[in-house]
Structure formats: C-alpha cells, structure tokens
C-alpha cells in the first residue's frame, strides 16, 4: 500500500468510495483491517478502476468469510463456481431477458438459504453508456425512522422468506425463478428486526421480493404490511443509485442494506459483471 487509503462519499446516505487500494494485489493485514472498519460504517463501499479476474475476485471475497456457489446454475462461472455472472447476454450473444429483469425489485440476497449471507461483491466488466445502475437502501435508517409503535410491533414479528414469492417477487418473476433453479427451497424464518453482528445497530429485515408473510399472520394483513415497510425503506432519502463504471468493485452489506437493479437501461446494451457472495465463517 502506498500512502493511506481514503474515503469519499458518493451518495447522501449510502455509497462511499475507497481510494488508494489495488485489489488485484495481495492485501496486507493493515489494508484489510482498514477495509473492514470502513465497511462497518459504510455498507456500500466502492473501489474504482480495478481489473480483477474471477480468481482474484474469489480471493478478495474469501478474506471476509466463506464463499457460496450461486443458486442459478446458468450464471455460475465454469472454473470458479463461487463466482457468478450478472449478465444480460445469453450464451449465443443475444439478449438474456431473464438476466435483464432479474433482481430489479428491492431485496436482500438469499434469505431463503440455511444461513444469511454477510456481503456480496460486484465487479463491472461491461456497462451501458447510461443508466443501468444498482440501487441500495439503508436499512439502518429505515429502522431508525419507523414510528415507535411500529418498532414495537415489528420487534415481535418473525418474517417468512421464500424464493421470490413476496408481493414484489410475484410481480417480477411470475414463476420464472423455479424454472431457473436446480433445487427446491424451503421457507426460512427471520426476525423482522435484526441486530447487526459488527455494529450492534438494529436493522429492518423485511424485503418485498422474498418476504411473503409473518409467523401467525394472515396474508391479507401481511402483504400490505410488507408493501408499507418496503415503501418506507426505499424513500429517496434512504436510497443511493450507483452509476457503474467499468472497473468498479462494489461490496455491500447484506444485513444493513436492500438492493435492486434499477432496470432502467436499453437491454440491447451489454451489462456484464462478476459477482461473489460471502457468508460468515
Ligand atoms: Fe441481489
């Protein structure tokens, strides 16, 4: 490391650039420690002008925990299964329409898995000329600004998370996910309020793609509540829109944020990224 890395805000709420780090080189412990401390306070952290292959991205991800093979078979990297492709281009070079619409509503990744991911990392390889961004919502601020009565109500609620069968998931996928996946997923239960394992801050943990109910509550009551919480969490003041540049490495905290593809670009333009997702050790 030459000189100390620095932080520079990108958005009003989330989005922070880390300057002065080359992720293609082995990270010494001091630099890694600096990244860990920065990430605890800045849960969407961006490193510009990087050039990583899948092996290097996997190595960077492994510093933070255990990698996981992606659930969607067709997007797995053939040599490095812990790395996957986020792409709108099919194997034959044509537009992959599922790739275009995939993940374009608010969610956290894989709350239907046996354990919850810690963070995910995207590395932009090809990006549209304009738009095609990824949006992030601050679930710390979302919790903090809930009315006190709602905080108390949610403290007793346990969310039920499936594979894209929440209200926004049904609108978005309409059953497509099942056709793209290689196994069945059981429903998983998670408290509606989580405590962040590093910072100790309370977080709202309800997203409208995967969360489809609450223990002991009818759908008629649960779905409006899920939609209300989603609208609250994604107010403009809590949202950061990341405009991608080729070479960006962006890592986000899966507990402290929700995210979505903005889905606002011309699908004829290529949008290709490498992704890895990391679980707590
Ligand atoms: Fe996602």
């Amino acid at each position: 490391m030459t000189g100390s890395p620095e932080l520079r805000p990108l958005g009003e709420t989330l989005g922070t650039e880390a300057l002065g780090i080359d992720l293609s080189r082995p990270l010494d412990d001091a630099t890694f420690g600096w990244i860990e401390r920065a990430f605890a306070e800045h849960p969407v952290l961006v490193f510009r002008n990087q050039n990583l292959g899948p092996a290097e991205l996997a190595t960077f991800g492994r510093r933070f925990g255990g990698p996981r093979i992606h659930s969607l078979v067709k997007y797995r990297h053939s040599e490095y299964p812990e790395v996957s492709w986020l792409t709108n281009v099919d194997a034959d070079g044509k537009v992959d329409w599922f790739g275009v619409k995939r993940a374009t509503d608010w969610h956290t990744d894989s709350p239907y898995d046996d354990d919850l991911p810690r963070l995910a990392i995207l590395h932009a390889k090809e990006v549209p000329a304009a738009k095609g961004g990824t949006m992030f919502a601050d679930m710390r601020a979302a919790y903090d600004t809930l009315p006190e009565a709602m905080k108390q109500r949610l403290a007793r609620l346990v969310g039920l998370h499936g594979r894209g069968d929440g209200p926004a998931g049904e609108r978005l996928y309409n059953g497509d996910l099942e056709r793209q996946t290689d196994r069945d997923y059981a429903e998983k239960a998670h408290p509606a309020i989580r405590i962040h394992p590093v910072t100790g801050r309370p977080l709202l943990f309800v997203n409208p793609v995967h969360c489809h109910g609450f223990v002991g509550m009818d759908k008629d009551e649960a779905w409006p509540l899920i939609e209300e919480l989603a609208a609250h969490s994604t107010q403009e003041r809590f949202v950061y829109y990341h405009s991608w540049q080729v070479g960006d490495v962006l890592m986000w905290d899966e507990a402290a944020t929700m995210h979505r593809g903005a889905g606002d670009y011309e699908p004829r333009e290529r949008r290709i990224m490498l992704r890895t997702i990391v679980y707590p050790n």
Side-chain angles (χ1 to χ4, degrees):
M1 181 164 90
T2 51
S4 288
E6 286 175 36
L7 292 172
R8 180 162 69 191
L10 291 167
E12 298 269 315
T13 166
L14 297 171
T16 311
E17 197 175 341
L19 302 122
I21 297 175
D22 178 356
L23 297 177
S24 69
R25 308 167 78 108
L27 283 182
D28 59 58
D29 288 345
T31 308
F32 178 70
W34 183 91
I35 294 172
E36 279 278 35
R37 288 190 297 279
F39 188 56
E41 296 306 319
H42 305 280
V44 177
L45 198 58
V46 181
F47 306 83
R48 301 275 195 193
N49 302 312
Q50 307 290 324
N51 187 10
L52 308 187
E56 293 158 322
L57 183 63
T59 299
F60 179 54
R62 267 190 231 116
R63 292 294 295 261
F64 298 94
R68 191 67 54 92
I69 290 171
H70 198 271
S71 61
L72 298 179
V73 183
K74 71 181 270 196
Y75 297 113
R76 275 179 208 158
H77 193 284
S78 55
E79 289 170 72
Y80 300 92
E82 67 204 72
V83 172
S84 63
W85 294 101
L86 193 70
T87 179
N88 64 349
V89 183
D90 244 333
D92 59 4
K94 297 207 175 70
V95 174
D96 171 357
W97 289 103
F98 182 75
V100 170
K101 80 169 178 178
R102 173 183 160 205
T104 53
D105 211 326
W106 290 105
H107 66 284
T108 50
D109 292 317
S110 308
Y112 45 79
D113 245 328
D114 288 334
D115 45 8
L116 291 168
R118 180 183 178 204
L119 58 89
I121 308 169
L122 281 179
H123 182 28
K125 292 296 185 188
E126 295 186 49
V127 300
K131 300 189 175 174
T134 303
M135 299 158 76
F136 296 89
D138 188 338
M139 302 307 277
R140 306 167 301 179
Y143 175 81
D144 290 346
T145 53
L146 286 169
E148 196 52 42
M150 182 63 90
K151 286 182 181 170
Q152 288 177 16
R153 182 181 181 201
L154 291 172
R156 295 187 295 272
L157 291 182
V158 174
L160 298 169
H161 298 251
R163 184 132 176 86
D165 47 7
E170 286 211 341
R171 282 195 293 271
L172 183 62
Y173 293 119
N174 204 14
D176 263 4
L177 270 180
E178 286 68 22
R179 292 189 284 277
Q180 302 273 349
T181 307
D182 64 345
R183 62 181 170 100
D184 292 332
Y185 288 84
E187 176 182 78
K188 292 291 181 325
H190 303 290
I193 307 300
R194 288 176 69 191
I195 301 300
H196 192 278
V198 176
T199 65
R201 286 185 67 167
L203 313 162
L204 177 57
F205 195 71
V206 175
N207 77 81
V209 167
H210 302 299
C211 183
H212 58 90
F214 298 96
V215 173
M217 189 186 292
D218 290 342
K219 184 176 174 181
D220 288 353
E221 191 184 352
W223 279 42
L225 178 57
I226 293 166
E227 302 264 40
E228 179 188 341
L229 293 171
H232 169 80
S233 309
T234 59
Q235 296 171 63
E236 213 177 304
R237 61 185 170 137
F238 302 146
V239 170
Y240 166 61
Y241 182 110
H242 184 69
S243 295
W244 291 99
Q245 300 172 11
V246 170
D248 284 356
V249 169
L250 183 154
M251 57 191 288
W252 69 87
D253 186 313
E254 291 279 8
T257 65
M258 288 198 296
H259 63 276
R260 57 171 286 180
D264 58 357
Y265 69 102
E266 169 56 55
R268 305 279 163 199
E269 288 190 85
R270 292 161 68 93
R271 183 179 189 269
I272 301 181
M273 307 197 189
L274 286 174
R275 189 189 92 145
T276 193
I277 188 160
V278 179
Y279 284 69
N281 272 326

